[in-house]
């Protein structure tokens, strides 16, 4: 995550995300945490003698410890603390200034250097009192704060790490009559692998033998185990139930669904939205304010006649307490948490801005087939409209053309042919008629399977039939004459009504946009209580409908399959590709929902709003804390006896950062309707 305000933690988050999926994340982050922990304990041990050798602490405790060279021992111990304990901050200061991006490490490095140099000067003759003990306690608390914070930051990307861990290291490769264990990374397309009960699926593929139930909850958010049998697709990382299955691998690990999801999450975490850019800008200003406020505080107290040590102490406290640490982490922590967490619930964020904009949606346009409906068409009636042609022949002619199509209507027709145990003839010269149907040659005849709209436009005097409510109708045309019809029906998803109702509760309008006929569209729209429907729309016309809604002042989200609906998805303010299955690379959509469940659209919007609230809460806390703490650090209530020490300033800064980290970690996906 490239930050305009780099810090030790920010660099750590960036590096950890780059390492994700390559085995380096855990070791790297553990190393960083261990480094802060070790430095903290070393400084803690050295802080005790430093404090006992300090005159002010001796005065408070009513003790006296004095011997020849005691001030030089104090200098030596403090120097070790400054160099060893302060090294992460001094190094960070150097890196920030080298990139000419002064930030948190610049402020801390500058503050402890000023304190150390002044104290060294007092040892060698400068009038005034050193504050070695303040310096060591400041570094001690900063190290403790960073150690605690690093552990908190680790939690923000834990969901992504869990996704990575879903991929098993080894797979059972079927080689003839033998089964051998191989590394998952070595699998390639065409390999047959065995998945034993309770094991994770090692690669995407199709089941060639056996049946079972798979738990895909960590991949798609679907809590119920999904039944799988011969011919069904399986996703790498899913957990097998109690049945052994053999799977034909469709592609290597690098191209698997899980790998694509991990890459999407990484890309989204490293991308910057408008909110992140705003936070970065605020952090830059806060750094400038901290430096100017520190100098102004120093000049005020020094010119007012106070001791140099007091003026320097006030300046150090202001600079430390003003570090834009919490502000710099406010949004990145929420981004890291939300992006990985949503991926585990089947909500894949490709574009951060689209996701954050989901809270602004006022109107959602739904595609019908496979989104609001099950997407599984079944033939409910079919008949001939031409003398001398049997009704079964009408079905077989349609099946011949639709044999290689994966369209839901084609699937319904082929299922009916299979159920009737009929054999479809061969077809050739098959061509799609965009938005209208399909054509080809069967037994030397020109055959088409087309929509009622095509018949109305091209074959106006043709014999037709009435469309019944809820049906989708196609006509079979032979040699430019209507030969018969096939009526199919698609059931409304049980979750659809609840999803539409929830959207209404959130004052979001819903529109059904479909290429299907008006009767079907109106039937589905009324059954679900939708606000509007637009029927018989060709794919390229959907874009115009989206534009019309936008011109009416609506902030529009479009849901579609990411292929036919690509122009509309690109035009919409928020593009949501639904039901892409293992194809998560729907280029035109900013968000991809793994399942075709409309309830996931609702979950997406609610989660988008929750994520936005967390960002705002963190930004308000981070800026509000500075507004209150800065004047106290500067000493505005000094006459009332309220004065913050540098160590107290460090404690407050650390607390504010940890609060931001904890608040981000509380983010959850609330699954409405599940």
């Amino acid at each position: 995550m490239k930050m305009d305000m780099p810090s030790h933690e920010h660099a750590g988050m960036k590096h950890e995300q780059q390492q994700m999926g390559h085995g380096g994340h855990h070791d790297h982050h553990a190393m960083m945490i261990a480094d802060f922990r070790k430095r903290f304990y070393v400084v803690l041990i050295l802080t005790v003698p430093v404090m006992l050798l300090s005159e002010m602490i001796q005065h408070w405790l009513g003790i006296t410890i004095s011997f020849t060279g005691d001030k030089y021992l104090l200098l030596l111990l403090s120097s070790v603390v400054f160099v060893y304990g302060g090294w992460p901050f001094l190094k960070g200061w150097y890196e920030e200034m080298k990139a000419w991006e002064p930030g948190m490490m610049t402020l801390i490095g500058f503050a402890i250097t000023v304190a150390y140099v002044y104290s060294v000067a007092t040892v060698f003759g400068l009038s005034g009192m050193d504050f070695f003990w303040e310096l060591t306690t400041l570094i001690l608390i900063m190290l403790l704060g960073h150690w605690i914070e690093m552990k908190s930051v680790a939690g923000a990307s834990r969901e992504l790490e869990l996704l990575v861990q879903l991929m098993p290291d080894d797979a059972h490769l079927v080689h003839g009559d033998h089964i051998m264990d191989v590394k998952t990374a070595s699998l390639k397309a065409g390999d047959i692998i065995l998945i034993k009960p309770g094991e994770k699926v090692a690669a995407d593929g199709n089941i060639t033998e056996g049946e079972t139930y798979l738990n895909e909850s960590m991949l798609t958010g679907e809590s119920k185990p999904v039944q799988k049998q011969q011919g069904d697709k399986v996703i790498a990382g899913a957990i097998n139930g109690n049945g052994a299955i053999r799977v034909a691998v469709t592609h290597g690990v690098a191209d698997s669904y899980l790998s694509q999801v991990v890459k999407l999450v990484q890309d989204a975490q490293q991308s910057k939205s408008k909110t992140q850019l705003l936070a970065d800008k605020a952090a830059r200003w806060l750094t400038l304010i901290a430096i100017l406020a520190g100098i102004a505080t120093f000049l005020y107290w020094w010119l007012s006649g106070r001791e140099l040590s007091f003026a320097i102490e006030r300046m150090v406290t202001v600079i430390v307490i003003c570090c834009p640490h919490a502000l710099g982490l406010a949004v990145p922590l929420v981004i890291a948490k939300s992006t990985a967490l949503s991926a585990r619930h089947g909500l894949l964020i490709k574009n951060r801005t689209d996701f954050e904009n989901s809270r602004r949606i006022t109107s959602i346009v739904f595609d019908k087939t496979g989104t609001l409906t099950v997407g599984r068409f079944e033939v409910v009636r079919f008949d001939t409209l031409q003398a001398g042609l049997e009704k079964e022949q009408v079905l077989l002619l349609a099946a011949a053309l639709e044999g290689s199509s994966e369209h839901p209507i084609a699937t319904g027709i082929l299922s009916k042919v299979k159920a009737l145990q009929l054999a479809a003839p061969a077809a050739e010269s098959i061509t799609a008629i965009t938005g209208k149907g399909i054509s080809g040659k069967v037994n030397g005849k020109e055959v088409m399977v087309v929509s009622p709209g095509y018949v109305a436009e091209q074959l106006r005097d043709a014999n037709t039939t009435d469309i019944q409510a809820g049906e989708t109708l196609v006509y079979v045309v032979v040699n430019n004459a209507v030969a018969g019809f096939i009526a199919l029906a698609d059931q409304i998803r049980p979750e659809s009504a609840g999803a539409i109702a929830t959207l209404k509760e959130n004052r979001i309008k819903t529109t059904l946009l479909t290429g299907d006929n008006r009767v079907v569209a109106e039937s589905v729209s009324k059954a679900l209580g939708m606000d509007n429907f637009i029927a018989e729309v060709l794919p390229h016309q959907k874009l115009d409908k989206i534009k019309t809604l936008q011109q009416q002042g609506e902030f529009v989200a479009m849901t579609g399959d990411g292929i036919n609906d690509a122009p509309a998805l690109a035009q919409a303010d928020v593009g949501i590709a639904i039901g892409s299955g293992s194809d998560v690379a729907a280029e035109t959509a900013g968000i991809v929902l793994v399942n075709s469940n409309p309830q996931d659209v609702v979950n997406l919007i609610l989660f988008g709003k929750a994520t936005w609230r967390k960002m705002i809460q963190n930004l308000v806390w981070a800026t509000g804390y500075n507004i209150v703490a800065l004047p106290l650090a500067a000493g505005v209530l000094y006459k009332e006896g309220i004065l913050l020490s540098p160590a107290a300033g460090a404690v407050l800064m650390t607390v504010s950062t940890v609060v931001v980290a904890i608040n981000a970690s509380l983010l959850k996906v609330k699954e409405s309707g599940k």
Side-chain angles (χ1 to χ4, degrees), residues 1 17 31 72 118 139 159 175 185 252 313 321 420 432-433 451 457 474 495 617 622 648 656 673:
M1 185 180 298
Q17 288 162 354
M31 180 183 69
Y72 296 109
Y118 169 77
I139 292 175
E159 281 74 19
H175 190 70
E313 183 185 65
I321 214 165
L420 295 174
I433 307 170
S451 67
E457 290 174 11
V474 294
E495 309 94 348
Q617 287 168 7
S656 72

Side-chain angles (χ1 to χ4, degrees), residues 61-78:
L61 296 177
I63 60 174
T64 301
I65 300 176
S66 180
F67 53 86
T68 304
D70 56 353
K71 65 178 182 179
Y72 296 109
L73 177 60
L74 178 60
L75 171 61
L76 176 63
L77 294 173
S78 300

Side-chain angles (χ1 to χ4, degrees), residues 7-13 16 29 32-33 36 89 104-105 108 141-156 158 323-330 332-333 650 653-662:
S7 72
H8 197 81
E9 291 71 36
H10 300 164
M13 288 182 68
E16 122 186 16
H29 206 84
M32 292 181 71
I33 293 173
F36 277 110
F89 312 113
M104 192 202 74
M105 290 299 174
I108 297 175
I141 293 169
M142 292 301 296
L143 287 170
L144 176 63
H146 280 59
W147 174 22
I148 294 172
E149 184 200 329
M150 286 300 295
K151 295 179 75 172
S152 300
V153 169
R158 195 162 290 134
C323 282
H325 203 197
L327 186 58
L329 284 173
L333 282 175
M653 195 209 78
T654 298
V655 167
S656 72
T657 306
V658 172
V659 166
V660 164
I662 291 173

Side-chain angles (χ1 to χ4, degrees), residues 167-168 171 173 182-193 201-206 234-237 247-261 582:
M167 186 68 76
L173 178 65
V182 299
K183 290 296 179 184
T184 303
S186 69
L187 294 176
K188 58 186 183 300
D191 285 346
I192 303 295
I193 56 174
V201 177
D204 292 358
N206 298 304
V234 296
I235 303 173
V247 174
V249 177
T250 52
H251 42 237
V253 172
D255 298 319
S256 71
Y257 166 78
L258 184 56
S259 295
Q260 291 182 64
V261 170
S582 60

Side-chain angles (χ1 to χ4, degrees), residues 312-331:
I312 290 177
E313 183 185 65
R314 289 303 90 217
M315 178 179 69
V316 168
T317 307
V318 166
I319 289 175
V320 168
I321 214 165
C322 245
C323 282
H325 203 197
L327 186 58
L329 284 173
V331 175

Side-chain angles (χ1 to χ4, degrees), residues 277-335:
L277 294 172
L278 175 65
D280 289 348
K281 191 173 182 179
R284 281 198 299 272
W285 276 104
L286 189 56
T287 299
L288 181 61
I289 290 170
I291 294 171
L292 294 177
I295 294 171
T297 300
F298 169 79
L299 292 174
Y300 172 80
W301 289 112
W302 191 39
L303 297 176
S304 296
R306 294 304 304 255
E307 314 83 57
L308 180 61
S309 60
F310 182 86
I312 290 177
E313 183 185 65
R314 289 303 90 217
M315 178 179 69
V316 168
T317 307
V318 166
I319 289 175
V320 168
I321 214 165
C322 245
C323 282
H325 203 197
L327 186 58
L329 284 173
V331 175
L333 282 175
V334 177
I335 286 176

Side-chain angles (χ1 to χ4, degrees), residues 382-386 389-399 413 449 474-476 483-486:
F382 62 99
D383 209 344
T384 180
L385 294 173
Q386 193 177 87
L389 190 68
E390 296 292 330
K391 60 184 290 188
E392 285 76 13
Q393 288 179 283
V394 172
L395 191 66
L396 289 173
L397 287 170
I413 292 172
V449 179
V474 294
Y475 286 100
V476 178
F485 70 87
I486 303 171

